[in-house]
Amino acid sequence: MNPMRTSRSGSAPVSDYGPDMPASAPSRFFRSRPAHESISWANETAIIWHPSEAETHYEQPKNSFCRFRHTFELKDRPEHGSIRLFADSRYMLYVNGRYVGRGPGRSDPRWQYYDSWDISDLLEAGANTIAVLALHFGYGTGQSMHRIPALLAECAVGLTGGDRIATGTSAKWKVSLHPAYERNAPRINGCQGPIEIFDSRLEDDGWMNPGYDDSDWVTAKARSRKLSPFWNLVPREIALPEEASISAVSVINRGELRERDEAVGKLHKQLLAEQGEISLSEYGDWQASGYRVPRTEAGKAAIVTFDFGRLEVGYLQLEASGASGDILDIVYAEELWQGRALLNADNNRSIDRIIMREGVNRVEIAFGYKACRYVQIRVRNPRGEVVFHEVGLRTRYYPVKRKSEFVCSDDRLNRLWEISAHTLRCCMQDGFLDSPSREQQQWMGDGRVQALFNYYYTGDSKLHAKLLRQFGQSQDWLGMTTSRYPDDHHNYPPIPSFCLQWVSSFEEYRVYTGDTGLETEWWPNIVNAIRWFTAYLNGQGLLEHVPYWSFIDWGELPNGPAPDVGRGGVLTALNLQYLEALHVASGMAERLGDMEACNVFRSIANRLAEAIRLILWDEEKGAYAECIVDGKMSDKISEVANSLALLHLHEPNDDRAPRIVENIFTGGRPVIKASPYFMIYVYRALDKHGASGLAFDMMRRRYDAMLDAGATTTWENWDLFYKTASGDVHFKSASHAWAAMPLVCLPEQLLGLRPGDAGFARVTIKPCLYDLEHAEGSISTPNGTYAIAVRQAEGLYRIKLSVPYGCEARVGGRFYAEGQYELEIAVADCDRTTYSHDEGSCS
């Protein structure tokens, strides 16, 4: 092992031992000095907040919306300018009255991300004003870890002639608590911040503009950067979000309801109680812009539903005219139930409230972005007509340089590609999110599969690297990682399965990027994670009675059976995931020259594999049982456990493999189906064992419900709406990117694109169109975009192929370097029933 080697991505040396260290020193004992320690800030730049709420040692304020202003002079128009900043918990930045952006990205405060914005075009000669609206939650959420009310900013300006000036947050800044936001607003849910209740009558127009009179504002209280909970300030690792404005395309229904009363702090209870009172009397397709709502009777509210055409992610932008005191209650919906935007009592309060002032109101939701296709507004306007001039969203997405495209002769598959791709984009924010609506959290199990999908969709690896680093930061001293991170909403314990997913995801990062730097950097933590599980190995070498949340997959919930993993004991799926992680870790150890770890992990893996084969196999069913509890084997079998067995325990020539395929996947026995989350593993398992056609047909059938419902995103479960025992209608997430498996299956199956080398630098092209006439696509990978068009005729596949610079494709036994080609191969040569897993597939 070369202790000074760099990663293929060109990062700095992994270890720096100093001049006296021997060349053979193992890199796991040394690390390089963190790069952020060389980042400098002006001595005067401090953390600031309103002095009445800037107490470090006692109670923190809740839902504190605080405004900041600072004006400075420039003698000339600058050549360039930038500003670095972060806030606990959120900020909106303005320069000279113009909106710049929002932040910060989610991070552990011990490695606090700051954002950097280019403001060169916004600065002028003379007076310049920086204005910030910041929100301190005062509590932890599923995407932020609360510390203290804090804003830190520093503006650097380069003047003509080379002079540079810097101005940062200090006691010279002016501050004011924003009066228009309701401090007692309830939270959207435990994973998010507050519902925004905004009273336009109390808005102070122009407070972010130069020349505004802030004489009645107070000076900020400043605190030292060095003596704060933000120990390490690090630049944001990923790009700033991409924003655009869109408008609702139509109004699709209208009606009314009977009002209920509730205190403002219980707004969600009022809207939930009114839900059963909704009467929708008209359905249509009315123009959204200029839509008029007549005056409502006392005790009633009008209902009007705006449609954006597909689910989008962003901040509501509203321009409406009405009377002072009119109320607009906004309920956001991914999908409608019988025309209604439903609220779940337990975990979804996706609402905001705007109290109007006389005349025109222009309001944008500041911090609580939503994922919605529909905005259903309850208009409480007994004083007169309300006119909606514009209902829109300022959308936010992770920016990508290129996106894959796909189209074929089956329009349903085209739609399946479209909704899968759009869902992945919706869930790519400042991390891979489980859903951009209900939780907006970064879960490790979700993130692993989304990262895999994204290698076929954009080729971008930055979110994957961030995912792996942040879950490493969550690790406790014994080795267990959290199930979601950064997270300060401690309502669930860790998920051991997700800790194993973290370990195994390093292998996919290496395979799809060629970068070995991350596994070297995190090797000690990976060893500790594997070590955590050894405490629960029984005398047979199996994991047993592993604590915490035993989640593996939802199965057929909410309307069908779940995997039998909730009773403790020996869980087959968890043991197989441990086997995968041991194989991954032993491979890392060998690459890193840590042969002691390599030998130990392989020894544990060999014993584990033998015990699974011997003890968890149900000979009568010809499959692996779900679990053994108190010495008794479960009578249930699932696609989940047996897919993992095909992936990690059996090769195609093993006697048990064809029995598992037949008994689990051909309808011969009662089997618990996998949820959309686990479909990628089902597909990989069947593909490995020469049954990818079976997986392809399964995908087409199981996604039918989403397509038939007109979904524009993929769902969390196979069913979206369901009835509870009490008869209430609840719903699951309608925008879950863990269901975007078609982004991998369609390019691999129909176009035949299989990675054969790191980062798709070498690929195999072996298409299989099944019953389709043609398929084509441009697939963006970490090493470039492959363009493939395949048409089936007279027993031949006619292929048009474009290979990107520096890459190579193998087609029909021949190799093709960069360039464009037209080829023909026999359809019989691409029969998926004889496909060998070793011909370029990547598991």
Side-chain angles (χ1 to χ4, degrees):
M1 177 184 68
N2 178 3
M4 292 298 294
R5 64 178 174 170
T6 61
S7 72
R8 281 189 57 175
S9 64
S11 61
V14 173
S15 298
D16 182 6
Y17 308 143
D20 299 325
M21 296 307 300
S24 60
S27 62
R28 62 176 164 144
F29 297 119
F30 299 89
R31 70 182 183 94
S32 57
R33 184 178 295 276
H36 68 265
E37 291 192 1
S38 63
I39 298 172
S40 62
W41 296 75
N43 291 333
E44 297 79 11
T45 300
I47 290 172
I48 63 171
W49 201 259
H50 195 282
S52 69
E53 297 186 340
E55 177 52 64
T56 303
H57 302 292
Y58 298 97
E59 293 82 8
Q60 303 299 329
K62 176 185 174 184
N63 295 342
S64 176
F65 290 83
C66 193
R67 300 178 293 179
F68 300 82
R69 283 176 51 84
H70 179 65
T71 299
F72 60 98
E73 296 284 336
L74 295 175
K75 61 182 180 181
D76 297 305
R77 182 178 177 84
E79 291 189 346
H80 59 83
S82 63
I83 187 167
R84 297 179 289 169
L85 76 164
F86 82 89
D88 185 335
S89 308
R90 297 285 185 267
Y91 73 80
M92 287 181 72
L93 171 66
Y94 301 86
V95 173
N96 290 331
R98 294 169 65 183
Y99 168 76
V100 178
R102 291 170 166 90
R106 68 187 68 210
S107 63
D108 185 319
R110 297 171 297 172
W111 294 274
Q112 179 62 54
Y113 287 146
Y114 62 83
D115 298 331
S116 296
W117 297 94
D118 185 344
I119 58 173
S120 303
D121 294 339
L122 303 179
L123 297 174
E124 303 169 350
N128 289 268
T129 298
I130 300 171
V132 179
L133 172 62
L135 166 62
H136 177 69
F137 292 150
Y139 45 78
T141 72
Q143 52 200 269
S144 64
M145 305 175 73
H146 133 262
R147 288 297 185 264
I148 60 173
L151 174 69
L152 177 73
E154 186 173 288
C155 178
V157 181
L159 301 174
T160 303
D163 291 341
R164 293 178 60 83
I165 64 170
T167 180
T169 44
S170 70
K172 298 178 181 179
W173 282 50
K174 303 295 288 291
V175 299
S176 168
L177 297 176
H178 202 308
Y181 289 93
E182 172 59 56
R183 298 285 296 267
N184 195 37
R187 294 170 67 167
I188 296 171
N189 55 39
C191 309
Q192 298 189 49
I195 293 166
E196 292 188 23
I197 302 176
F198 183 81
D199 192 335
S200 294
R201 298 170 299 180
L202 303 177
E203 171 66 305
D204 196 359
D205 287 338
W207 66 265
M208 68 285 291
N209 295 331
Y212 171 81
D213 182 6
D214 58 16
S215 58
D216 60 343
W217 290 27
V218 299
T219 56
K221 180 175 180 179
R223 288 178 281 189
S224 169
R225 297 189 321 276
K226 298 179 180 179
L227 298 178
S228 80
F230 311 103
W231 305 327
N232 304 311
L233 297 174
V234 297
R236 183 185 181 106
E237 290 183 294
I238 60 173
L240 293 160
E242 175 182 273
E243 297 185 344
S245 290
I246 63 170
S247 299
V249 295
S250 64
V251 171
I252 62 166
N253 66 40
R254 55 198 180 193
E256 65 178 18
L257 58 78
R258 183 165 58 87
E259 291 185 307
R260 300 290 185 92
D261 290 327
E262 194 66 66
V264 68
K266 301 291 184 181
L267 174 62
H268 57 289
K269 290 187 177 295
Q270 175 188 350
L271 270 62
L272 190 64
E274 291 177 341
Q275 194 162 271
E277 307 292 335
I278 294 176
S279 172
L280 295 171
S281 56
E282 295 182 275
Y283 293 82
D285 183 14
W286 299 282
Q287 184 175 335
S289 178
Y291 187 82
R292 296 175 178 271
V293 178
R295 181 182 67 85
T296 56
E297 297 178 26
K300 291 187 177 181
I303 298 291
V304 56
T305 306
F306 293 87
D307 181 6
F308 286 97
R310 70 171 183 175
L311 187 142
E312 299 280 2
V313 183
Y315 307 90
L316 181 70
Q317 295 180 313
L318 189 65
E319 182 177 338
S321 298
S324 177
D326 286 350
I327 295 175
L328 307 178
D329 283 333
I330 301 108
V331 183
Y332 304 87
E334 298 172 301
E335 297 287 350
L336 299 175
W337 169 260
Q338 296 181 348
R340 294 166 173 81
L342 297 185
L343 299 172
N344 273 354
D346 54 348
N347 65 11
N348 190 286
R349 305 170 183 170
S350 190
I351 55 181
D352 289 308
R353 166 173 282 186
I354 297 169
I355 304 170
M356 301 178 70
R357 63 184 176 188
E358 193 73 29
V360 178
N361 295 249
R362 296 181 180 89
V363 179
E364 179 173 332
I365 297 301
F367 300 113
Y369 70 83
K370 308 297 192 299
C372 61
R373 174 175 176 174
Y374 304 98
V375 171
Q376 192 163 79
I377 302 181
R378 305 181 187 185
V379 184
R380 310 177 195 273
N381 60 330
R383 300 165 185 84
E385 182 182 67
V386 165
V387 181
F388 289 98
H389 306 292
E390 186 71 24
V391 176
L393 286 177
R394 187 193 297 272
T395 61
R396 55 167 286 156
Y397 293 99
Y398 176 78
V400 295
K401 295 180 179 178
R402 56 183 187 268
K403 295 179 290 185
S404 297
E405 296 180 355
F406 173 85
V407 66
C408 69
S409 53
D410 184 338
D411 186 58
R412 289 181 71 83
L413 291 177
N414 296 337
R415 288 176 54 209
L416 186 54
W417 170 271
E418 290 170 3
I419 68 173
S420 299
H422 185 56
T423 312
L424 183 60
R425 281 303 309 278
C426 289
C427 292
M428 290 170 65
Q429 297 290 334
D430 55 348
F432 284 118
L433 308 190
D434 65 326
S435 168
S437 56
R438 185 183 65 211
E439 297 180 26
Q440 303 178 353
Q441 293 187 117
Q442 183 175 242
W443 293 80
M444 185 60 229
D446 303 57
R448 180 190 179 184
V449 297
Q450 289 179 51
L452 173 60
F453 303 157
N454 195 42
Y455 286 122
Y456 288 75
Y457 183 54
T458 74
D460 183 287
S461 64
K462 292 183 177 63
L463 284 178
H464 192 189
K466 178 178 180 287
L467 176 85
L468 294 172
R469 289 192 179 102
Q470 290 198 317
F471 277 92
Q473 293 168 3
S474 81
Q475 191 173 46
D476 67 27
W477 68 277
L478 290 173
M480 175 54 61
T481 57
T482 62
S483 54
R484 57 195 185 185
Y485 206 72
D487 169 48
D488 210 13
H489 175 51
H490 307 296
N491 63 333
Y492 288 114
I495 301 177
S497 167
F498 282 15
C499 183
L500 297 172
Q501 302 275 35
W502 177 67
V503 173
S504 297
S505 191
F506 278 94
E507 175 70 358
E508 285 153 351
Y509 181 82
R510 180 190 68 84
V511 165
Y512 285 103
T513 68
D515 185 353
T516 59
L518 272 182
E519 66 180 37
T520 306
E521 176 187 354
W522 288 95
W523 176 238
N525 303 73
I526 293 167
V527 171
N528 212 25
I530 296 292
R531 176 178 176 267
W532 185 91
F533 287 88
T534 61
Y536 302 99
L537 289 170
N538 65 18
Q540 299 163 314
L542 292 165
L543 294 175
E544 185 172 16
H545 299 312
V546 177
Y548 309 143
W549 186 8
S550 58
F551 175 80
I552 304 291
D553 181 53
W554 289 130
E556 298 178 50
L557 291 177
N559 291 320
D564 188 11
V565 296
R567 298 185 292 133
V570 178
L571 307 184
T572 303
L574 186 65
N575 276 276
L576 287 162
Q577 288 177 325
Y578 188 41
L579 182 63
E580 178 192 21
L582 286 164
H583 288 157
V584 167
S586 62
M588 290 184 198
E590 186 172 25
R591 286 189 295 276
L592 294 169
D594 191 343
M595 296 313 298
E596 179 183 36
C598 180
N599 292 331
V600 168
F601 293 159
R602 284 180 178 168
S603 176
I604 298 172
N606 290 338
R607 188 174 184 223
L608 175 64
E610 186 59 31
I612 295 171
R613 290 189 187 96
L614 181 65
I615 297 169
L616 292 165
W617 176 256
D618 187 327
E619 179 61 28
E620 179 184 351
K621 292 184 173 65
Y624 287 92
E626 280 291 271
C627 59
I628 293 178
V629 181
D630 297 330
K632 183 179 179 181
M633 181 178 287
S634 172
D635 62 353
K636 296 181 173 62
I637 54 177
S638 73
E639 291 179 350
V640 169
N642 285 278
S643 293
L644 293 173
L646 291 174
L647 277 172
H648 308 307
L649 193 62
H650 294 293
E651 296 305 315
N653 57 355
D654 290 352
D655 291 341
R656 289 181 180 175
R659 293 183 64 191
I660 294 172
V661 172
E662 179 179 358
N663 291 327
I664 297 297
F665 297 105
T666 62
R669 292 184 177 275
V671 174
I672 301 171
K673 296 178 182 178
S675 80
Y677 165 44
F678 234 79
M679 281 300 292
I680 183 61
Y681 301 106
V682 171
Y683 163 63
R684 285 289 195 225
L686 291 174
D687 184 54
K688 173 182 176 179
H689 290 270
S692 55
L694 182 60
F696 185 73
D697 181 63
M698 184 185 301
M699 177 195 71
R700 295 173 87 169
R701 287 185 285 106
R702 292 192 181 176
Y703 283 84
D704 272 349
M706 300 183 201
L707 297 176
D708 291 343
T712 61
T713 46
T714 55
W715 301 345
E716 178 181 13
N717 300 74
W718 298 119
D719 298 298
L720 181 57
F721 294 100
Y722 63 100
K723 288 191 175 182
T724 65
S726 63
D728 294 332
V729 177
H730 282 206
F731 54 92
K732 293 293 186 178
S733 165
S735 53
H736 241 68
W738 74 6
M741 175 272 278
L743 295 180
V744 175
C745 184
L746 293 173
E748 283 194 353
Q749 290 294 294
L750 300 184
L751 303 181
L753 178 71
R754 308 281 181 136
D757 198 2
F760 294 79
R762 291 174 57 245
V763 301
T764 296
I765 307 293
K766 196 171 186 180
C768 184
L769 292 183
Y770 302 105
D771 58 341
L772 277 65
E773 295 178 1
H774 66 84
E776 62 182 277
S778 56
I779 307 303
S780 297
T781 75
N783 267 301
T785 299
Y786 290 85
I788 307 166
V790 186
R791 185 169 292 276
Q792 182 173 200
E794 300 175 350
L796 293 174
Y797 285 140
R798 294 186 171 90
I799 304 172
K800 292 183 179 181
L801 172 65
S802 176
V803 181
Y805 172 78
C807 296
E808 185 178 72
R810 184 177 68 175
V811 187
R814 294 186 59 186
F815 292 90
Y816 298 86
E818 61 189 88
Q820 297 182 352
Y821 307 92
E822 293 190 13
L823 315 167
E824 288 185 351
I825 56 176
V827 170
D829 291 340
C830 297
D831 184 358
R832 280 286 184 260
T833 60
T834 59
Y835 177 78
S836 169
H837 185 62
D838 296 329
E839 291 184 15
S841 176
C842 192
S843 67

